Amino acid sequence: MRGISKRLLAGLCLLALTACGQPAAEKKPAAGGPVGGNAAGGTLKAVRDRGYVSCGASTGTVGFGAPDSHGYWRGLDVETCRAVAAAVLGDKDKVRFVPLTGQQRLTALQSGEIDILPRTTTWTLSRDANGVNFTLPNYYDYDGIMVRKDRGVSSSRELDGASVCVQTGSTTEVTFTNLVASVAPNLKAVIFDSTQATRQAFFSGRCDALITDASGLASVRATMASNPEDFIIFPADGKLSPLTPAVRHGDDQWFDIVKWSFQALLMAEELGINQANIDEMRNSQDPTIRRFLGVEPGNGAALGLDEEWTYRIVKQLGNYGEMFDRNVGAGSPLKLDRGLNRLFRDGGLMVPMAFN
């Protein structure tokens, strides 16, 4: 992530320190109104009564959220939501995914159509102040630009005069505007209102460049380019984008459950607990491990859950490192470097909080 300042990294470190197998066809919410919980509280009860967690999803970004050839949703964001289902309903597959465009996603959360929005959504002030609560980042990204290598450019400044495919309803609109104001005044925006239309326009040659999250560009390059080696991705402006699951305002208990379900994935990696050894680890005499896995009670009751909620998350999904590798890392088509998404102890920005 060249171009990212140490000052910005320090700021995000501080931020981090403080701060389902259903087929695609099942994605639509029940007819007759919202499926989400009560905006004034009670989401946990609503989810239990309904029997599944309703999750906002992208309209198809391999690695983060997309149905496979069998209609089973996979991806880092998808598994972030499955972790909550494992915690509160005992089964990671008790979920339903609602594909949403960039313009639809926040409204769907605020209106109660969905319970959680884990959809490559950047944590920003305007979003945070308008009806949603961001939990903690599940992926640190940056806005990127993709062009064909044969254009011979490797920075935003060299793109001046080029046309750029931009999707509405995304933070990259702001990034593009900033580029025009400060770096490349002659850039020309070609605007689209859906992810797929934006991508197809780029590959059909309607634009010289495509701008969006760098991880999304890596997904597009791996899955849509006839020859991925023909394309290069570089940072748009050098600023990080913390992609963060969100819940709506008004339900602190649900906010805590979603936040700590993701934290359980991080803590499992910190403690060396994975999907293969978790049953053995329950016999550990380490008090931290015993408390984390609910052998010693307390953490479950604090959230209104039973004491085995962390056990179920790791048993069914593994830890964050395992989740990262199979969805976007070495075990995936994207093969993204762990980078800033390493644990804090390993030089990254992912900080496991104390389970006590």
Side-chain angles (χ1 to χ4, degrees), residues 255-335:
F255 178 47
D256 288 343
I257 288 172
V258 175
K259 179 171 54 182
W260 285 96
S261 292
F262 179 71
Q263 278 292 310
L265 294 160
L266 296 180
M267 181 54 77
E269 184 176 10
E270 175 90 359
L271 296 174
I273 304 172
N274 55 46
Q275 204 165 12
N277 70 11
I278 188 168
D279 288 316
E280 178 184 350
M281 295 296 271
R282 294 180 92 180
N283 298 319
S284 170
Q285 296 307 304
D286 184 324
T288 302
I289 293 175
R290 291 174 65 80
R291 190 164 51 244
F292 172 70
L293 291 177
V295 179
E296 300 293 338
N299 288 330
L303 293 174
L305 304 176
D306 64 65
E307 298 297 340
E308 293 195 334
W309 64 281
T310 54
Y311 169 80
R312 289 194 298 274
I313 289 174
V314 183
K315 181 69 174 179
Q316 296 182 29
L317 291 161
N319 61 41
Y320 180 75
E322 292 175 287
M323 190 169 85
F324 187 99
D325 284 346
R326 66 173 166 263
N327 288 301
V328 299
S332 76
L334 276 62
K335 302 195 181 307

Side-chain angles (χ1 to χ4, degrees), residues 108-133:
L109 179 61
Q110 293 162 330
S111 68
E113 181 181 356
I114 57 174
D115 304 310
I116 310 170
L117 180 63
R119 184 200 170 282
T120 56
T121 300
T122 302
W123 185 349
T124 71
L125 184 152
S126 60
R127 290 170 173 169
D128 203 342
N130 282 282
V132 304
N133 283 328

Side-chain angles (χ1 to χ4, degrees), residues 30 51 81 133 143 151 156 171 194 232 247 273 295 304 319 323 346:
C81 200
N133 283 328
D143 285 341
R151 287 190 62 87
S156 300
T171 54
S194 78
I232 182 174
V247 297
I273 304 172
V295 179
N319 61 41
M323 190 169 85
D346 300 326

Side-chain angles (χ1 to χ4, degrees), residues 30-349:
V35 298
N38 186 338
T43 306
L44 176 60
K45 182 179 184 308
V47 166
R48 284 174 167 163
D49 290 347
R50 187 195 313 135
Y52 63 87
V53 180
S54 182
C55 304
S58 75
T59 52
T61 299
V62 172
F64 288 86
D68 65 16
S69 59
H70 302 289
Y72 188 85
W73 283 82
R74 299 185 185 280
L76 191 73
D77 287 336
V78 164
E79 294 193 6
T80 298
C81 200
R82 291 187 188 280
V84 178
V88 304
L89 297 173
D91 185 345
K92 67 182 175 61
D93 288 331
K94 290 186 175 180
V95 290
R96 294 192 181 184
F97 295 100
V98 182
L100 299 164
T101 67
Q103 294 171 302
Q104 296 170 329
R105 54 186 165 180
L106 294 174
T107 300
L109 179 61
Q110 293 162 330
S111 68
E113 181 181 356
I114 57 174
D115 304 310
I116 310 170
L117 180 63
R119 184 200 170 282
T120 56
T121 300
T122 302
W123 185 349
T124 71
L125 184 152
S126 60
R127 290 170 173 169
D128 203 342
N130 282 282
V132 304
N133 283 328
F134 288 92
T135 57
L136 288 169
N138 70 342
Y139 188 89
Y140 288 95
D141 207 346
Y142 60 94
D143 285 341
I145 291 176
M146 182 163 68
V147 298
R148 292 188 60 87
K149 284 183 179 176
D150 55 17
R151 287 190 62 87
V153 300
S154 58
S155 73
S156 300
R157 193 175 300 277
E158 297 173 280
L159 275 177
D160 200 21
S163 59
V164 182
C165 286
V166 183
Q167 184 186 343
T168 59
S170 69
T171 54
T172 49
E173 279 189 290
V174 177
T175 300
F176 178 84
T177 301
N178 291 341
L179 284 176
V180 172
S182 61
V183 174
N186 296 316
L187 282 179
K188 304 176 183 67
V190 183
I191 305 293
F192 299 90
D193 61 5
S194 78
T195 301
Q196 294 304 325
T198 309
R199 296 169 179 175
Q200 289 167 3
F202 171 70
F203 285 109
S204 68
R206 293 184 61 187
C207 326
D208 300 313
L210 176 62
I211 183 170
T212 189
D213 298 333
S215 60
L217 292 175
S219 175
V220 169
R221 182 172 61 178
T223 58
M224 293 184 68
S226 56
N227 183 9
E229 296 302 317
D230 289 344
F231 297 88
I232 182 174
I233 298 170
F234 50 81
D237 60 2
K239 297 178 181 176
L240 279 183
S241 296
L243 305 183
T244 310
V247 297
R248 60 186 156 271
H249 281 173
D251 191 338
D252 287 350
Q253 182 188 30
W254 187 245
F255 178 47
D256 288 343
I257 288 172
V258 175
K259 179 171 54 182
W260 285 96
S261 292
F262 179 71
Q263 278 292 310
L265 294 160
L266 296 180
M267 181 54 77
E269 184 176 10
E270 175 90 359
L271 296 174
I273 304 172
N274 55 46
Q275 204 165 12
N277 70 11
I278 188 168
D279 288 316
E280 178 184 350
M281 295 296 271
R282 294 180 92 180
N283 298 319
S284 170
Q285 296 307 304
D286 184 324
T288 302
I289 293 175
R290 291 174 65 80
R291 190 164 51 244
F292 172 70
L293 291 177
V295 179
E296 300 293 338
N299 288 330
L303 293 174
L305 304 176
D306 64 65
E307 298 297 340
E308 293 195 334
W309 64 281
T310 54
Y311 169 80
R312 289 194 298 274
I313 289 174
V314 183
K315 181 69 174 179
Q316 296 182 29
L317 291 161
N319 61 41
Y320 180 75
E322 292 175 287
M323 190 169 85
F324 187 99
D325 284 346
R326 66 173 166 263
N327 288 301
V328 299
S332 76
L334 276 62
K335 302 195 181 307
L336 296 177
D337 184 75
R338 186 80 181 263
L340 294 174
N341 294 290
R342 297 188 299 266
L343 293 182
F344 186 70
R345 71 177 183 195
D346 300 326
L349 297 177

